[in-house]
Amino acid sequence: MTQGRREEELFGEKSKSRAAGPLPSALKKRKTAMKTLKVAMVQHRACGPDVQKNTALALRCIAQAKAENADLVLFPECFLTAYRFPRICETLRPVEAIETDEEFVRWRESALEDDSPPLNQLRQAARALDIGVAATCFTRGKKYPRNTVFLIGR
């Protein structure tokens, strides 16, 4: 097999930056030195929009995943804040009416900051337990909350 053909299989297209010859040793080592990645997937509903309860549950799930030798724990979408929108968002009212609705304002203001205590607790647990965590929540956007994933390293 030619070098160009081998690169097409590995990278989807022929690389023009490499001279013909054997694969780089880093790729050879990577194929043989790859270890198994054990992923724990949490299949649990959030405790409604109660961020404190959801964070406590997430911390227990992280500890359990580590006890089962997982390298990474994945949480369902918007686990910390719950995947819920104010009822008014389901109406066809003008945007101005939605933005001033009390429930909408509370929801918008409850979105987490990147350095909020619940996220910092997950970071601390990941570091202490030497496990990766992928958790999502609504965070404060420029105008509206946005669905954000936090990939937390060990």
Side-chain angles (χ1 to χ4, degrees), residues 95-96 99 104 107-108 139-146:
V95 173
E96 297 80 19
E99 291 177 337
F104 182 86
W107 174 75
R108 184 179 61 218
T139 59
R140 295 197 180 172
K142 290 181 181 178
K143 190 169 181 179
Y144 304 118
R146 59 184 179 203

Side-chain angles (χ1 to χ4, degrees), residues 10-148:
L10 290 172
F11 306 111
E13 61 183 60
K14 187 174 179 179
S15 172
K16 296 179 181 177
S17 62
R18 295 192 196 169
L23 284 174
S25 61
L27 283 178
K28 289 180 185 176
K29 288 179 186 174
R30 179 182 244 171
K31 288 180 81 172
T32 58
M34 180 81 58
K35 74 172 204 163
T36 302
L37 176 70
K38 186 170 182 181
V39 178
M41 296 175 63
V42 176
Q43 294 184 338
H44 198 293
R45 287 182 188 228
C47 302
D50 189 329
V51 175
Q52 289 180 336
K53 283 184 181 179
N54 294 333
T55 302
L57 177 58
L59 293 171
R60 289 193 303 272
C61 291
I62 292 168
Q64 180 182 352
K66 183 60 181 183
E68 295 176 12
N69 297 314
D71 299 298
L72 174 66
V73 58
L74 303 176
F75 285 92
E77 190 173 16
C78 287
F79 190 80
L80 292 179
T81 54
Y83 197 82
R84 293 188 180 172
F85 297 93
R87 283 186 285 278
I88 197 166
C89 291
E90 297 174 15
T91 67
L92 296 176
R93 294 187 183 167
V95 173
E96 297 80 19
I98 293 173
E99 291 177 337
T100 58
D101 179 77
E102 285 183 37
E103 183 185 14
F104 182 86
V105 171
R106 280 193 310 273
W107 174 75
R108 184 179 61 218
E109 291 174 354
S110 70
L112 300 179
E113 298 282 348
D114 291 354
D115 62 348
S116 68
L119 291 166
N120 287 335
Q121 287 178 295
L122 296 188
R123 289 180 183 106
Q124 291 168 358
R127 191 178 312 113
L129 296 173
D130 191 35
I131 189 170
V133 175
T136 66
C137 60
F138 283 119
T139 59
R140 295 197 180 172
K142 290 181 181 178
K143 190 169 181 179
Y144 304 118
R146 59 184 179 203
N147 188 351
T148 307

